[in-house]
Amino acid sequence: MNLFLTKSKIRSFALVTLFFSVHDMAQGAKNQYLPRTSLAGNKTDTLRENSIKTDSIKTENMSTKELKKTAFSLVPSSYMLQYAGSIGLLSAGTGWDYGRRKQWSTDFLLGYVPKYDTDRAKLTLTLRQSYTPWEIKLNKQFTYHPLRTGAYLNTTLGKQFWYKEPDKYPNSYYRFSTRLRINIFLGQDFSYKIKSNSSYFEGLKFYYDLHTSDLYLVSGVQNKYLKFDDYIGLALGVKLQIRRK
Amino acid sequence: MFDIHPYSGKIDGRKHINADNIVKIEHDYANQDTIRYAFISDSQRWYDELDDFVKIVNKRNDIDFIVHGGDISDFGLTKEFLWQRDILEKLKQPYVALLGNHDCLANGEEIFEQVFGTVNYSFIAGKTKFLCLNTNALESDYSNPVPDFSFIEQERQKDTTRFEQTVVVMHARPTSDQFNNNVASVFQYSIKQFPNLLYCTNGHDHIYQEEDIFKDGIIYYGTPNIGKRQFLIFTITKDHYTHELVSY
């Protein structure tokens, strides 16, 4: 892999480093500000303790609320691993689930493409937005989303890829980007809730996506020769859901 | 089913096609006096039209081989090379492909080299040497010679007992936006040093062309893109040739 430090590579590495350091900070902040309540002790003691604590709890609760809000937007909901999806052989990342019914997800992934028959392996970055409108509880342990859909942007690192053709070309010579891809997908996911109440991860989620990209779509729809399975791909992934405190 | 990456370079299926097909062409037509071949080009994203071309040519029994002038892919995607290759593989007769400018996008040139072969090559059918050159200079820089004059000179001196006339094939012709026009007249001079240069053929411009560019009697024939459902057929005999624009 060519580790030539170009401007765009530096930018991408800075972004990834910033993301991980902010994530670490948020984890630290979260651990520091969780309210500590004693479970042992008798009722009267607890009552007095509680009345003394009321004021401090009030202030502590306010700052906890604020921090929970902040922590909520920085601390991820899950870690994930994905196979294929036009973003790499294997990709790893984190996701944030939000919305009143947790129906929205934003994922960020780093993908690895082996070199195969080319001269170098490749790294990709993906930003994905998913929407899961319906949730079906099968039993205490299993739930599933019969539909997950959305889009993801993928960028490939490396000098042979560009957003816009270099200046040597006449204007609008190629009219597309070799570096940035927009993909759309439709899929489903299945969640399994871990039985423990204290494990770091509270569940496992398996998902699959049928996906295609702007270039595959443009190539596929304008002719009869190419069939769905030529330009629509299958991606498989697993998410480890982090326990929310 | 699983797509790793649009530019993965993960090649399944037949590779090194030009080399293998050249062995066949040179063997089958070594002693043939009359050579007739089809020249197509710029089939990018015109899958239906290319598929129909294969069906049309397969119905005929008078075409010895097929030459594709380049632009097999539109975006340089790995899958494009494979999709187009799979259509061409249905041809009953052997074929060779040249590199087009679109084929150089991203890592396209590496994929082309794996699936088809080197970007500059030649073969001899009957007594005619076909010189197939990479002329996509705008896709390259000075570290990579386009056109490769060393290669041209080498070819001029190679197998001189096996050929008496020459045809030069390329994707982008001199005066086009891709060609290194700074050396256009030098290029023309170099290829005219070959034994009996008959004519040149090109693609890239997506229209039929028939032009004596250098006013020296050497006609450059351009073939339309396959999307127009047209192609050229050349018939070469000793010291003479005819051509035909076919629509289907």
Side-chain angles (χ1 to χ4, degrees), chain A residues 35-241:
Chain A
R36 281 188 197 87
T37 42
S38 59
L39 297 164
N42 57 42
K43 251 189 181 170
T44 44
D45 276 348
T46 322
L47 276 168
R48 214 185 335 135
E49 269 179 55
N50 280 349
S51 58
I52 296 167
K53 274 194 182 152
T54 316
D55 283 327
S56 55
I57 285 173
K58 267 202 188 131
T59 32
E60 207 180 55
N61 273 347
M62 260 184 22
S63 57
T64 310
K65 246 193 208 163
E66 279 172 44
L67 280 153
K68 262 195 174 165
K69 264 199 187 154
T70 329
F72 175 74
S73 64
L74 292 171
V75 175
S77 312
S78 64
Y79 296 124
M80 69 198 75
L81 197 64
Q82 177 171 307
Y83 176 76
S86 297
I87 62 174
L89 176 67
L90 277 180
S91 307
T94 49
W96 291 262
D97 303 332
Y98 50 98
R100 260 195 301 168
R101 292 170 293 119
K102 295 276 187 290
Q103 70 272 45
W104 295 102
S105 271
T106 304
D107 303 328
F108 179 79
L109 297 109
L110 176 71
Y112 174 75
V113 186
K115 72 179 204 184
Y116 294 116
D117 284 305
T118 68
D119 74 339
R120 63 191 69 179
K122 293 174 255 306
L123 284 184
T124 77
L125 300 173
T126 300
L127 188 65
R128 173 169 61 207
Q129 185 64 24
S130 334
Y131 177 56
T132 49
W134 309 294
E135 180 176 287
I136 295 172
K137 263 195 168 58
L138 298 168
N139 55 42
K140 272 205 186 136
Q141 242 64 48
F142 291 95
T143 46
Y144 98 105
H145 293 121
L147 176 67
R148 56 178 256 125
T149 185
Y152 50 101
L153 290 173
N154 176 259
T155 179
T156 309
L157 306 177
K159 272 163 64 165
Q160 49 190 203
F161 304 100
W162 31 253
Y163 292 112
K164 187 174 175 294
E165 71 249 342
D167 288 339
K168 65 175 179 177
Y169 292 99
N171 262 343
S172 305
Y173 198 77
Y174 283 121
R175 285 186 237 214
F176 77 102
S177 165
T178 50
R179 176 170 243 149
L180 186 69
R181 289 278 62 75
I182 177 153
N183 303 267
I184 52 172
F185 67 93
L186 275 176
Q188 297 185 316
D189 68 51
F190 304 83
S191 301
Y192 169 73
K193 190 171 184 299
I194 293 173
K195 287 201 172 100
S196 152
N197 277 328
S198 57
S199 55
Y200 182 72
F201 296 116
E202 67 178 4
L204 221 65
K205 183 180 283 193
F206 297 96
Y207 66 90
Y208 77 85
D209 292 332
L210 293 169
H211 64 93
T212 189
S213 69
D214 48 354
L215 298 182
Y216 282 154
L217 208 54
V218 145
S219 295
V221 300
Q222 293 179 318
N223 60 79
K224 294 198 206 96
Y225 177 81
L226 291 177
K227 306 284 179 255
F228 283 138
D229 61 354
D230 286 317
Y231 59 93
I232 293 174
L234 177 67
L236 301 173
V238 61
K239 290 188 177 191
L240 291 161
Q241 304 290 126

Side-chain angles (χ1 to χ4, degrees), chain B:
Chain B
M1 193 162 54
F2 295 109
D3 186 61
I4 304 302
H5 188 273
Y7 294 110
S8 68
K10 183 170 184 282
I11 300 166
D12 299 313
R14 196 169 171 214
K15 288 192 208 180
H16 315 301
I17 288 171
N18 286 349
D20 292 342
N21 286 353
I22 283 168
V23 167
K24 193 167 196 299
I25 292 171
E26 293 194 332
H27 173 267
D28 289 355
Y29 309 121
N31 301 309
Q32 208 164 286
D33 290 325
T34 303
I35 302 287
R36 179 174 289 138
Y37 71 97
F39 181 59
I40 62 170
S41 194
D42 302 81
S43 56
Q44 70 267 53
R45 285 207 283 133
W46 284 294
Y47 299 98
D48 291 340
E49 291 82 345
L50 185 67
D51 200 34
D52 287 343
F53 164 78
V54 170
K55 294 192 179 103
I56 293 286
V57 165
N58 282 348
K59 282 209 192 96
R60 299 173 71 131
N61 56 10
D62 62 340
I63 305 287
D64 295 327
F65 57 88
I66 294 96
V67 180
H68 188 305
D71 272 2
I72 289 147
S73 71
D74 202 16
F75 311 112
L77 302 176
T78 305
K79 280 205 170 146
E80 287 187 286
F81 288 101
L82 308 184
W83 288 331
Q84 295 254 327
R85 174 203 61 191
D86 291 347
I87 297 174
L88 293 168
E89 281 293 295
K90 296 193 282 184
L91 283 166
K92 290 214 187 93
Q93 297 298 78
Y95 71 96
V96 294
L98 277 83
L99 181 78
N101 57 300
H102 283 257
D103 301 324
C104 298
L105 287 164
N107 54 10
E109 197 170 330
E110 289 176 85
I111 294 157
F112 177 92
E113 285 179 324
Q114 288 291 310
V115 177
F116 294 103
T118 57
V119 301
N120 292 300
Y121 60 93
S122 73
F123 61 92
I124 299 170
K127 286 270 190 251
T128 307
K129 181 175 248 192
F130 288 81
L131 190 62
C132 301
L133 302 173
N134 171 27
T135 57
N136 303 297
L138 192 59
E139 299 307 313
S140 190
D141 59 40
Y142 284 99
S143 63
N144 188 27
V146 181
D148 189 343
F149 287 108
S150 312
F151 175 80
I152 293 171
E153 181 54 23
Q154 221 178 289
E155 283 295 326
R156 187 180 70 78
Q157 296 176 29
K158 195 167 126 204
D159 296 323
T160 48
T161 53
R162 287 173 54 204
F163 71 103
E164 295 165 356
Q165 49 206 28
T166 316
V167 168
V168 182
V169 191
M170 65 200 84
H171 177 68
R173 66 180 206 170
T175 67
S176 75
D177 52 8
Q178 278 287 330
F179 200 91
N180 180 2
N181 291 306
N182 182 41
V183 296
S185 45
V186 182
F187 174 77
Q188 187 71 359
Y189 175 83
S190 312
I191 60 174
K192 277 168 76 176
Q193 303 314 300
F194 277 69
N196 199 10
L197 177 66
L198 294 175
Y199 59 89
C200 298
T201 59
N202 65 273
H204 183 64
D205 296 317
H206 292 207
I207 50 164
Y208 173 66
Q209 298 158 312
E210 186 182 336
E211 193 182 337
D212 183 351
I213 299 178
F214 296 92
K215 308 278 187 283
D216 57 4
I218 305 296
I219 313 279
Y220 277 75
Y221 295 93
T223 189
N225 56 314
I226 269 293
K228 295 200 165 71
R229 302 180 82 92
Q230 290 182 308
F231 61 97
L232 292 174
I233 293 181
F234 289 90
T235 307
I236 301 174
T237 54
K238 186 170 163 62
D239 210 21
H240 180 68
Y241 73 92
T242 56
H243 80 287
E244 191 193 342
L245 177 65
V246 178
S247 301
Y248 62 96

